[in-house]
Amino acid sequence: MDRTEKRAFVDFLAKVFGTANTVIVTQNLGLTVEDVTNLRRKVREAGASYKVAKNRLALRALDGTPFAGIASLLKGPTALAWADEPVAVAKVLVEFAKNNDKLALLGGALGSQTLDVNGVKALAELPSLDELRAKLVGMINTPATRIAGITQAPAGQLARVLGAYARTGEAEAA
């Protein structure tokens, strides 16, 4: 990388650190090209990005951003994953690290809150934004269904009572 490429990369990372909601730092302990390609695909499907970064350049880009707390994690062969929706990317990385011992989670940050490995794992256990939306819609929909059932129940009961009287009246007439 020449100076202009390095400057452009630092500017790119600074922009990422200025706009993302979460950043997770991982360490590559010998992943194959196929493994990294698979990981990037899964991260992209979760709506996130994953990039290997030179630590010195990433440290420059971190300066003055809310994610400055992850600077101590940038040692050795690291890569950064970032996203606006924090739970999905954490789930993908935790699951991948669980199934592949050559990827190590180092920690991350959620806004200005620095997370250790256990914090990233706890974040991965939370329901995703889509799951929360589905639960909320279900909770809103359930009372409406119950109200409709309750308001229709008296009319249904009245119809059954009248039907029973009509059947007993037919039985007496016969």
Side-chain angles (χ1 to χ4, degrees):
M1 255 188 194
D2 65 3
R3 285 181 186 235
T4 56
E5 289 174 327
K6 289 178 182 178
R7 196 172 301 120
F9 187 71
V10 169
D11 291 342
F12 167 74
L13 281 180
K15 199 177 299 181
V16 164
F17 295 143
T19 59
N21 288 332
T22 188
V23 175
I24 298 174
V25 182
T26 64
Q27 190 170 43
N28 180 347
L29 303 172
L31 290 170
T32 64
V33 172
E34 182 181 347
D35 290 338
V36 172
T37 302
N38 193 11
L39 176 60
R40 285 178 198 234
R41 182 181 46 78
K42 289 179 180 181
V43 168
R44 197 174 319 112
E45 287 172 0
S49 299
Y50 182 82
K51 189 148 188 79
V52 174
K54 291 191 174 207
N55 295 334
R56 192 172 40 86
L57 300 177
L59 287 169
R60 285 185 188 169
L62 276 173
D63 202 25
T65 69
F67 299 110
I70 66 170
S72 63
L73 303 174
L74 298 175
K75 294 179 180 134
T78 58
L80 304 169
W82 64 88
D84 290 331
E85 205 278 292
V87 175
V89 69
K91 283 183 188 225
V92 168
L93 291 172
V94 167
E95 186 64 30
F96 193 89
K98 194 184 304 180
N99 296 329
N100 192 328
D101 59 345
K102 294 183 179 180
L103 180 76
L105 296 172
L106 299 179
L110 181 59
S112 60
Q113 178 68 40
T114 304
L115 305 171
D116 62 359
V117 175
N118 292 328
V120 173
K121 288 179 180 177
L123 186 63
E125 292 174 6
L126 294 174
S128 70
L129 189 58
D130 289 338
E131 290 170 346
L132 287 175
R133 285 179 182 148
K135 285 181 182 180
L136 184 61
V137 168
M139 289 171 57
I140 291 170
N141 194 21
T142 299
T145 305
R146 286 185 182 161
I147 289 171
I150 289 169
T151 58
Q152 291 175 356
Q157 288 174 345
L158 181 61
R160 283 191 290 278
V161 169
L162 292 176
Y165 278 127
R167 282 191 296 277
T168 56
E170 289 173 6
E172 290 175 6

